[in-house]
Amino acid sequence: MIPEVAVSNPEKAYALLQADANKILKLIKVQMDNLTMPQCPLYEEVLDTQMFGLSREIDFAVRLNLVSEEDGKKLLENLERQLNVLHEAAQNS
């Protein structure tokens, strides 16, 4: 949780978006470890839905000038990189 120590709205917004990105990463990791393989349509559907939702959250924060477009893009790119690492690890195991 975000501490209530004089944190600006942009900092809160970015922290919340980062927390959502971490939740997506954790969800996909659990799904890959326990439920389905990356080739499964269910895996792809969950991933696409979660990524779309996060991208809409980021767009909203950008429109409110709470997060820069560059920071939002970096957040998505970082999550995609981490997901690719998980995907490759699952393929190699």
Side-chain angles (χ1 to χ4, degrees), residues 13 17 56-68:
L17 291 170
R56 299 308 305 148
E57 286 182 54
I58 290 170
D59 288 345
F60 185 68
V62 168
R63 289 177 26 217
L64 290 173
N65 292 318
L66 294 172
V67 174
S68 73

Side-chain angles (χ1 to χ4, degrees), residues 26-49:
K26 184 177 180 181
L27 171 72
I28 296 302
K29 182 171 178 8
V30 167
Q31 186 176 353
M32 290 175 77
D33 287 348
N34 299 306
L35 302 173
T36 59
M37 294 305 297
Q39 305 88 319
C40 175
L42 176 61
Y43 165 85
E44 291 178 8
E45 185 68 29
V46 169
L47 181 57
D48 289 347
T49 301

